[in-house]
Amino acid sequence: MKTVLLAGGTGGAKLARGLLDIAGDALTVIANTADDIEIYRAHVSPDPDLVTFWLADRIDGRGWGLDGDTFTVMDALREAGEEIWFNLGDRDLALCLRRAQRLADGATLTEVLAEHAAAFGVSARVLPMCDGPVRTHVMAGGEWWRLQEFLVRRRAQGPVDGVALEGAEAARPTAAVLEAIAEADAIVIGPSNPIISIGPILALGGIHDALRTAAAPVVAVSPFVGGRVLKGPTASFLRWAGRDATPAGVAEHYAGVADGFVSDEQIAGAAMAQLVTDVTLGDAAARARVASEVLDFARSLR
Amino acid sequence: MKTVLLAGGTGGAKLARGLLDIAGDALTVIANTADDIEIYRAHVSPDPDLVTFWLADRIDGRGWGLDGDTFTVMDALREAGEEIWFNLGDRDLALCLRRAQRLADGATLTEVLAEHAAAFGVSARVLPMCDGPVRTHVMAGGEWWRLQEFLVRRRAQGPVDGVALEGAEAARPTAAVLEAIAEADAIVIGPSNPIISIGPILALGGIHDALRTAAAPVVAVSPFVGGRVLKGPTASFLRWAGRDATPAGVAEHYAGVADGFVSDEQIAGAAMAQLVTDVTLGDAAARARVASEVLDFARSLR
């Protein structure tokens, strides 16, 4: 079953790992690149890399970065007088330096992510949502922050007073993204932050048309588990967008895009088909079960 | 005693360490930057860094790089499919990434080397010969090689059929270099490769005038020990330059620049004053002794 997953970082990446068990190399993940950052002369792509590390079973127990990575370069930069606010392991940095170099040499981000997935032995495809730069900025505390600075330096402290997707107007989904969507049997919107992780993907020119005209049903998975989001500042962003910080708010947000919604709460008066099930992605069995149920649900909507 | 040392890598760096014992923070090293290389998104300055690592007593036992450095990033790059021909430790890379970033941000190489020396607690000054790019290329086996590629990939295999100093015509010594030379009590040309380590420094426009008009005597130290060069392909380069691969050949090469020559062989008919002494720099005591004798010799020539 040709499965396309739109994903941000942690939640989307965990569901990607579950879908890999079910769909195998028929899985294509379209990852948000609007929180990419150029730092330490490297090009860091947090969401695509989280997805790749999860798919390769190489994610570290801390929830980001490569398993067992060391931080020697960061230590040395600190000793040389740098203020280190964005932590990157040595092996992680190597990938990000290589990406920056390949991009400088004229490769596309699509090509580089494919090379990295191959180097990690990942058979599924990990596509960036676009090859051009889109960068999320967040207004909070009276200041605009680059997304990673908001998340790390400000510790994601809301309320969020603004979100700007720099470059989104000019950016277009890649041919590979459009083709994957057109050929899919199921399209899944992962349990990632709807505003800053899925939002940039949906903001690309032409993506709404592509999803609307796709033969496959679009199924969104709620990032809420037992009424709360396990990681990240999803609630502040939903509130900024005028949505309730609940599965119902997320469902409302995806009305017009999704044909079905998966969450652990029955939503009264939802505008789309619903699957109510436990959406915890805590271990491999849970990830595979949720993935399987999501795909069955999508199949039922065709 | 205000001491200026013109230096390339290993030999010059070892003498720098000896001179530090004698001259302390009155030592200024002017380091060759013509074998700098941009690689891994970093700016590598092999000779200035060798000098700094030696001055900080941080040189690794292998003869290059930082003591006890690890090579995790290189390993990861190799796993990602990169061909790694130029090895750089993790902490070393951190410095070189920082240098590339500072240069991209508009800092001068002079400023960055000063920051790195300070971070290493080095009280002597380590100056780049110039702030602009000069790059050595070597013709061997019918091909032009960038210097580091000649040294590493071709393993410095001669004969050398050409040497080109790209950018040397346009490059000028920095104000700091000219001031150090003008104010020096002694100017020492280190036991580095006369053609590719000292040659680029002497090729800078105005440097000959600066040395000629300086009040201080100029004393060159032979890179030959017991008739041979302990490290590097000095002999092939001297032959290319039409000099004998002997202390006499080096003395002849420096005629017109140096007022005195230090080597472990009496040279018949030398055009300058001579000090014949053991120039082995094998341990700290030897380095300090040679440094002390070189400075005494320079003092005798004032």
Side-chain angles (χ1 to χ4, degrees), chain A residues 40-41 69-70 72-73 75-77 79-80 82 90-91 93-95 97-98 100-101 104 119, chain B residues 40-41 69-70 72-73 75-77 79-80 82 90-91 93-95 97-98 100-101 104 119:
Chain A
Y40 315 128
R41 305 277 297 159
D69 209 352
T70 49
T72 311
V73 174
D75 288 344
L77 284 173
E79 281 167 29
E82 292 283 302
D90 296 323
R91 290 176 169 273
L93 174 67
L95 287 175
L97 285 172
R98 185 175 187 279
Q101 189 59 58
Chain B
Y40 315 127
R41 305 277 298 158
D69 210 350
T70 49
T72 311
V73 175
D75 288 344
L77 285 173
E79 281 167 28
E82 292 283 303
D90 295 323
R91 291 178 168 272
L93 174 68
L95 287 175
L97 285 172
R98 184 174 188 281
Q101 190 60 58

Side-chain angles (χ1 to χ4, degrees), chain A residues 39-40 42-50 52-53 58-60 62-74 86-100 116 120, chain B residues 72-77 79-80 90 93:
Chain A
I39 192 168
Y40 315 128
H43 182 111
V44 188
S45 291
D47 287 353
D49 283 357
L50 273 165
T52 299
F53 299 168
R58 293 286 306 276
I59 190 79
D60 191 85
R62 79 180 88 80
W64 57 271
L66 279 164
D67 52 348
D69 209 352
T70 49
F71 292 84
T72 311
V73 174
M74 294 299 114
F86 189 85
N87 229 346
L88 204 57
D90 296 323
R91 290 176 169 273
D92 210 339
L93 174 67
L95 287 175
C96 297
L97 285 172
R98 185 175 187 279
R99 175 161 35 223
H116 287 183
F120 277 87
Chain B
T72 311
V73 175
M74 294 298 114
D75 288 344
L77 285 173
E79 281 167 28
D90 295 323
L93 174 68

Side-chain angles (χ1 to χ4, degrees), chain B residues 75-108:
Chain B
D75 288 344
L77 285 173
R78 211 174 276 116
E79 281 167 28
E82 292 283 303
E83 188 209 345
I84 302 299
W85 62 270
F86 189 85
N87 230 345
L88 204 57
D90 295 323
R91 291 178 168 272
D92 209 338
L93 174 68
L95 287 175
C96 297
L97 285 172
R98 184 174 188 281
R99 174 160 36 221
Q101 190 60 58
R102 294 279 293 126
L103 293 174
D105 291 345
T108 64

Side-chain angles (χ1 to χ4, degrees), chain B:
Chain B
M1 190 168 180
K2 286 188 185 168
T3 302
V4 164
L5 173 70
L6 311 192
T10 307
K14 286 184 186 176
L15 183 57
R17 184 60 191 85
L19 288 166
L20 183 68
D21 281 345
I22 312 300
D25 58 15
L27 171 66
T28 298
V29 181
I30 297 169
N32 169 45
T33 57
D35 43 352
D36 282 20
I37 178 172
E38 283 87 11
I39 192 168
Y40 315 127
R41 305 277 298 158
H43 181 113
V44 188
S45 292
D47 287 353
D49 283 357
L50 273 166
V51 168
T52 299
F53 299 168
W54 269 100
L55 290 178
D57 293 325
R58 292 286 306 276
I59 190 80
D60 192 83
R62 80 179 88 80
W64 56 271
L66 279 163
D67 51 349
D69 210 350
T70 49
F71 291 85
T72 311
V73 175
M74 294 298 114
D75 288 344
L77 285 173
R78 211 174 276 116
E79 281 167 28
E82 292 283 303
E83 188 209 345
I84 302 299
W85 62 270
F86 189 85
N87 230 345
L88 204 57
D90 295 323
R91 291 178 168 272
D92 209 338
L93 174 68
L95 287 175
C96 297
L97 285 172
R98 184 174 188 281
R99 174 160 36 221
Q101 190 60 58
R102 294 279 293 126
L103 293 174
D105 291 345
T108 64
L109 191 52
T110 299
E111 289 166 340
V112 180
L113 290 187
E115 290 163 8
H116 286 184
F120 277 86
V122 170
S123 56
R125 286 198 303 169
V126 182
L127 300 176
M129 64 185 199
C130 61
D131 281 327
V134 177
R135 295 294 178 266
T136 302
H137 298 259
V138 177
M139 165 74 93
E143 271 184 80
W144 281 103
W145 304 76
R146 291 189 299 164
L147 181 64
Q148 294 300 333
E149 295 189 280
F150 171 75
L151 295 176
V152 178
R153 296 189 121 154
R154 197 178 155 85
R155 292 158 199 269
Q157 198 194 317
V160 169
D161 299 317
V163 173
L165 303 176
E166 183 192 355
E169 275 178 50
R172 290 285 171 277
T174 62
V177 162
L178 292 174
E179 192 179 300
I181 289 173
E183 292 180 354
D185 297 310
I187 299 168
V188 181
I189 298 178
S192 300
N193 186 317
I195 312 302
I196 55 167
S197 298
I198 303 299
I201 305 177
L202 296 182
L204 298 174
I207 199 95
H208 276 274
D209 275 353
L211 292 172
R212 210 169 8 241
T213 57
V218 178
V219 170
V221 180
S222 166
F224 287 89
V225 173
R228 59 196 203 89
V229 169
L230 296 181
K231 187 169 179 298
T234 299
S236 338
F237 283 98
L238 282 170
R239 278 184 212 110
W240 168 77
R243 309 289 183 194
D244 286 345
T246 60
V250 176
E252 190 182 71
H253 184 74
Y254 287 136
V257 176
D259 305 300
F261 191 71
V262 181
S263 74
D264 60 7
E265 290 181 16
Q266 185 70 43
I267 299 164
M272 61 189 94
Q274 282 187 73
L275 169 68
V276 178
T277 188
D278 181 2
V279 288
T280 314
L281 299 167
D283 60 30
R287 290 189 282 274
R289 184 192 53 75
V290 172
S292 174
E293 289 187 26
V294 165
L295 291 187
D296 285 346
F297 177 51
R299 200 176 280 119
S300 76
L301 298 177
R302 282 165 82 174

